[in-house]
Amino acid sequence: MVVTKLNRIDEIFKQLRATKRSALMPYLMAGYPDIEASLSLLISVAEAGADLIEFGIPYSDPLADGPTIQAASEVALTTGVNTDIAFDLVKKAREKIETPIAVMTYYNAIYRYGLERFAGNAAESGVDGVICPDLPPEEASPWSEAAAQYGLANIMFAAPTSTNERLKKIAHMSRGFIYCVSLTGVTGARTNLPSNLTDFIGRVRKVTDKPLAVGFGISQPEQAKQVADIADGVIIGSALVSLIGADRETCTDAAAAYISKIREAMDS
Amino acid sequence: MVVTKLNRIDEIFKQLRATKRSALMPYLMAGYPDIEASLSLLISVAEAGADLIEFGIPYSDPLADGPTIQAASEVALTTGVNTDIAFDLVKKAREKIETPIAVMTYYNAIYRYGLERFAGNAAESGVDGVICPDLPPEEASPWSEAAAQYGLANIMFAAPTSTNERLKKIAHMSRGFIYCVSLTGVTGARTNLPSNLTDFIGRVRKVTDKPLAVGFGISQPEQAKQVADIADGVIIGSALVSLIGADRETCTDAAAAYISKIREAMDS
Amino acid sequence: MQHVLPDERGHYGEFGGKFVPETLMTALEELEAAYARYKDDPKFKTELEFYQRTYIGRPTLLYFAEQLTKHYGKAKIYLKREDLCHGGAHKINNTIGQALLAKRMGKKRIIAETGAGQHGVASATAAALFEFECQVYMGEEDTRRQSLNVFRMNLLGTEVIPVTSGTRTLKDAMNEAIRDWVTNVETTHYMIGSVAGPHPYPMMVRDFQRIIGDETREQMLKIEGRMPDYIIACVGGGSNAMGIFYPFVGTGVKLIGIEPAGYGLDTGRHGAPLTKGDKGVLHGSLSYLLQDEYGQILPAHSISAGLDYPGVGPEHSYFKDNGLAEYSSITDKEALAAFQLLSKKEGILPALESAHAVAYLEKMIDKTSKDDIIVINLSGRGDKDVQVVADALGVRL
Amino acid sequence: MQHVLPDERGHYGEFGGKFVPETLMTALEELEAAYARYKDDPKFKTELEFYQRTYIGRPTLLYFAEQLTKHYGKAKIYLKREDLCHGGAHKINNTIGQALLAKRMGKKRIIAETGAGQHGVASATAAALFEFECQVYMGEEDTRRQSLNVFRMNLLGTEVIPVTSGTRTLKDAMNEAIRDWVTNVETTHYMIGSVAGPHPYPMMVRDFQRIIGDETREQMLKIEGRMPDYIIACVGGGSNAMGIFYPFVGTGVKLIGIEPAGYGLDTGRHGAPLTKGDKGVLHGSLSYLLQDEYGQILPAHSISAGLDYPGVGPEHSYFKDNGLAEYSSITDKEALAAFQLLSKKEGILPALESAHAVAYLEKMIDKTSKDDIIVINLSGRGDKDVQVVADALGVRL
Ligand SMILES: Cc1ncc(COP(=O)(O)O)c(C=O)c1O
Ligand SMILES: Cc1ncc(COP(=O)(O)O)c(C=O)c1O
């Protein structure tokens, strides 16, 4: 079954580009802090102004992630969440929200589940794209093809260490947007943006006009604003996850409030 | 100063040979169970019928001795006994008894004290001979000469493992008597006499007419009797030491009683 | 048959590859280029051979185990004595090689992962010798169980970083090392300890370890005038096995890799991905591994810490699927018995890892004859395991 | 000058000899005769060389310690790597030799004494290889402190007998072994672990250990084309030192033996009989030893168990009095520092015994120049000492 309708991710970037705004792209994790709450969070964060949500499927060996997301993954896995449940959460969220959703997980979760099956079930649940941090272009073709077959965007990573050659290859292959890693390192909130970020984004811009989203390390409204000025999307991961982990009772409201504040700063 | 009077050891064997009796030769240790008691023991054992007393100077590393005498040595050393005190005990005993006394100690105690000095002080205290279990004929000449100079008998060992060649050398060199080790092993009471003892004593007899005393393992009156039938002297070591160690209060009487009993058996 | 894998992309058939964050891809390309440049460079080769000979103590012996042979009364048994290497295991063959390469690449710092500490100590040793700054990641659980090895690394000037994530054991230490590498990729060389990880590691580590097989071949020809019939080696990540197998691939010699069956293959508590695992991606390459139906990695178990790993080098997966080697497994209990047997018969305490290879004799020797020749790779010495063996046998020390 | 001692009676000048109970004299004569018969027997020599090469792993390396040399900036420093011997120390050179001899003498049983366990393990190893029954005497105190080594011997099939007499340490274990020998002299070979004991042991053990010096000489000539200027070795009983010294006696090479100064020579808590002892008889031979004015043996102290002995081989006493070698001493603290230095600089953990020899560099290197060559005998590896070093440095493991 080939899905032909325009992908929600392409749609949103088209809209934002038209209004010269940047996308706010928070990261949530299936099963964190528990399964139900992660569904409420999807909805409340969307309603608070998220343009796209990255929805992580927790993994036992998250080697691109820093301590915050590692710890969250461990907690989430104890809830019994798995790929099927994660897809189911998206399906349920789709009853309320139309915000694009990109699932984020490690390649083994896709490989073991079965490439076609993963793509098919994801697409059917209302997932729009997949982000896989340990799948560089050299190894991405089988998955890219399976994803394309189901109208899923396979979103690829660009890093400051990528040569221009590699950036071209990545840009060419990536769908939806390009995930630009702000720094050499793992996920995790940091207090300052790397000084060479503008140069790096400039380098990527030179090889593509696909949307560029920047992630890794962004936590403060001012940082989001600065990134919004040079990129098409601002990814907020660990900062939001740690806020959610701080108080489970109030996390839905707190997350919404935090996203509104970032939204405000970005649009200011 | 060369002592010329006839050595008490030669004297006693001459007497015993004349009466066709065997010598009863108990072993005591200077400083065991304490310094004073070891003096009382010298006297009481002599009076109970000992023909010759071996008087051990305790040593830190008594490698020819079994557990009983090892343990006694450790106790004795904690009393502060030493070579000078041991000689002094002999000197004091000499006020009461004329029983021949042979000091038993390891060669290092002699060597370190000084060969001449050891021989001189021993002789002056009334010691008649010296038994040194780790001094084979090959190494014995310097000490033999020093001992001879002071009229001390240097008593040497013969073992069941000694070749006839060696027995000749030992017999030639030994003074006073020859200490025949009943078995291959260390000192210590045993319940049976070795079966080849008669053969062994026979081998020694073939090379010498010096008195032969048998030691190592003799504890029972019957054993003493059997040995007395084939040898000129019966040495009682560990059995007596362990009896003395059993009850310090009564050890003087107990030792005397034990020696009387052995005496009786031997003379029966 | 000439075996010419991996291909240009680091694949062994469907296995291998480079499944790592984009940040590391350039570093892997650089490493690949540097390795390609130096591996046949006469100066590099001379220097490597110099340290193999003068520091590691190569060639190691190929020892005819006369007592063990007598004990079984079947094939002649030889032991390749990697336990006599400086440090007590084959691991140093690889770390010296990588250190010499890292020096040429201008790296100042080395990081490594370690389970029980064998590769950590070997890395720390190479780092001390060539004056690198060195940090070793080790599961917190393991730092406690193997505190002597932690101190040993400290003595060699290496800092050991306890890893508190996940199961707090080897696989998490490797995750953490990769995270460090992602962060410090420009100054740092990541010294992987087996034929695992992303390309070019499985190839490079294999090449540094194949000296075991090259020597064995030469020594065997000299001693017996012919090739052996069997070669047996234990398989954790697979480096000692690949090292001794590689020069014999396609020659007709039966190559047998032994995985740890732990408490038993059916208990689920083992470390035998080739025997009981499924294909998947771990630590940068596609291979057999222990995982659940959703691809979550399952913890391994083996009495021998060096085999306690849920993955295996990709080339072994290729060997298995293509019949270039066979793989079998040995339980903790069987390994313990072999540990005791070799100690008593030959006066040689094998590493518990190597004891798995020795234990396989029980299963295969009956079908051999006196004319056959078996070589067992004695990958390391057992002194490090004496406490573990005592505990397992219920002996209070 | 050709050095042709001992004389016929086993004397080195006034030292040496056979101060043992008469019961043992015939056994010593037999041993002497057997040794005289076989030592130059081509078949014996071939067999010994075979096991040296194929089992022990000889020749061991003569390693240029480049980093250590750089560190001091003076003489070139070489290490003779006895730590790479099977088992981790030079002790096995002797036990394999004696075991081959005992086999020819028709003995079925071997006994040995051991302090920390090094010689015990080496004896147990040789016993396992040549199928002897083996019992090792070890001070009860030491069996507790070194329980891992006890279990190691058990694994090798040897029974360890705790000795509860005296100070319950090495010297008492040796007393007890001698008592056993006196009792079982006809079936049993007593395997003494150093150049100590009654003749012919000091000579025989020296001869089995001189391979260290013979190799060093040949290797040095090959590498440097000349003899070294200094050879430094630690002295416990003195076997590793005698082994490396012996082929250089009278050649002009400065031979330096290092005794353990423990807490300091003035504290009375050391193990330095050559430096601070007096002549006397212990365990069958006349030599320097630690004793009081009445000849009672005083306990030794050293952080390194293998040097913790109140006596020393008689030939060293002769060397000292006749200026054929010099002797100095190194404290526990200095040895610890050298242990750490060598670990960090060269990636080699030395045995604490050997660390005494390394430590002496601090005291003598200033008077050397870059043209000088020093060889240090690295008699054993330090893995066995890691716990002791941690304790001494106040590191909780
Ligand atoms: C002695 C020994 N053998 C084998 C192994 C397993 O590793 P590999 O399979 O890479 O040889 C280890 C790992 O630490 C080891 O120490
Ligand atoms: C490594 C090592 N070196 C030195 C010694 C000291 O003995 P020797 O002086 O006989 O070489 C020992 C004794 O156990 C030892 O284990």
Side-chain angles (χ1 to χ4, degrees), chain B residues 104-123:
Chain B
M104 177 149 179
T105 194
Y106 287 82
Y107 187 55
N108 195 47
I110 300 173
Y111 180 87
R112 174 71 168 140
Y113 197 88
L115 273 51
E116 295 252 334
R117 184 173 159 236
F118 193 100
N121 289 358

Side-chain angles (χ1 to χ4, degrees), chain D residues 307-333:
Chain D
L307 304 181
D308 200 350
Y309 181 63
V312 66
E315 195 163 15
H316 283 292
S317 293
Y318 178 82
F319 279 14
K320 178 191 153 83
D321 280 9
N322 293 277
L324 298 178
E326 311 170 19
Y327 296 87
S328 188
S329 66
I330 282 294
T331 63
D332 288 356
K333 240 171 128 172

Side-chain angles (χ1 to χ4, degrees), chain B residues 17-32:
Chain B
R17 198 162 275 191
T19 57
K20 295 215 184 305
R21 287 169 59 229
S22 269
L24 169 53
M25 305 161 73
Y27 172 94
L28 295 169
M29 186 186 288
Y32 189 77

Side-chain angles (χ1 to χ4, degrees), chain B residues 8-237:
Chain B
R8 289 186 192 90
I9 299 174
D10 297 333
E11 196 84 61
I12 193 88
F13 280 110
K14 216 169 113 189
Q15 288 173 21
L16 288 166
R17 198 162 275 191
T19 57
K20 295 215 184 305
R21 287 169 59 229
S22 269
L24 169 53
M25 305 161 73
Y27 172 94
L28 295 169
M29 186 186 288
Y32 189 77
D34 57 49
I35 294 178
E36 248 176 87
S38 64
L39 176 57
S40 317
L41 279 161
L42 269 180
I43 296 161
S44 77
V45 160
E47 290 172 348
D51 298 303
L52 183 151
I53 298 173
E54 280 181 47
F55 197 46
I57 303 177
Y59 186 60
S60 56
D61 292 78
L63 54 75
D65 285 299
T68 307
I69 293 182
Q70 284 170 43
S73 305
E74 285 180 37
V75 170
L77 283 171
T78 64
T79 68
V81 80
N82 60 35
T83 307
D84 291 321
I85 293 172
F87 288 161
D88 200 49
L89 288 170
V90 174
K91 188 178 262 172
K92 285 189 177 130
R94 278 281 168 259
E95 294 168 11
K96 306 249 170 114
I97 59 169
E98 271 302 313
T99 317
I101 295 178
V103 153
M104 177 149 179
T105 194
Y106 287 82
Y107 187 55
N108 195 47
I110 300 173
Y111 180 87
R112 174 71 168 140
Y113 197 88
L115 273 51
E116 295 252 334
R117 184 173 159 236
F118 193 100
N121 289 358
E124 203 199 299
S125 314
V127 171
D128 306 291
V130 171
I131 303 173
C132 184
D134 59 348
L135 191 65
E138 280 82 347
E139 305 287 353
S141 296
W143 167 240
S144 270
E145 281 157 30
Q149 208 185 329
Y150 291 90
L152 284 182
N154 176 33
I155 296 141
M156 308 215 36
F157 284 82
T161 53
S162 308
T163 56
N164 292 341
E165 210 93 351
R166 293 193 61 80
L167 290 178
K168 261 183 230 162
K169 208 177 347 176
I170 291 161
H172 176 75
M173 223 175 179
S174 196
R175 294 281 171 271
F177 62 94
I178 296 162
Y179 193 129
C180 298
V181 171
S182 68
L183 43 73
T184 57
V186 293
T187 60
R190 286 157 180 96
T191 39
N192 293 310
L193 286 178
S195 56
N196 54 358
L197 182 60
T198 314
D199 291 351
F200 168 49
I201 298 301
R203 283 209 295 133
V204 190
R205 285 270 186 241
K206 269 214 188 107
V207 302
T208 187
D209 57 4
K210 288 185 179 168
L212 307 184
V214 174
F216 284 35
I218 304 166
S219 61
Q220 313 292 332
E222 315 81 66
Q223 291 174 325
K225 167 74 180 145
Q226 283 166 30
V227 172
D229 287 349
I230 57 171
D232 308 302
V234 179
I235 300 166
I236 310 268

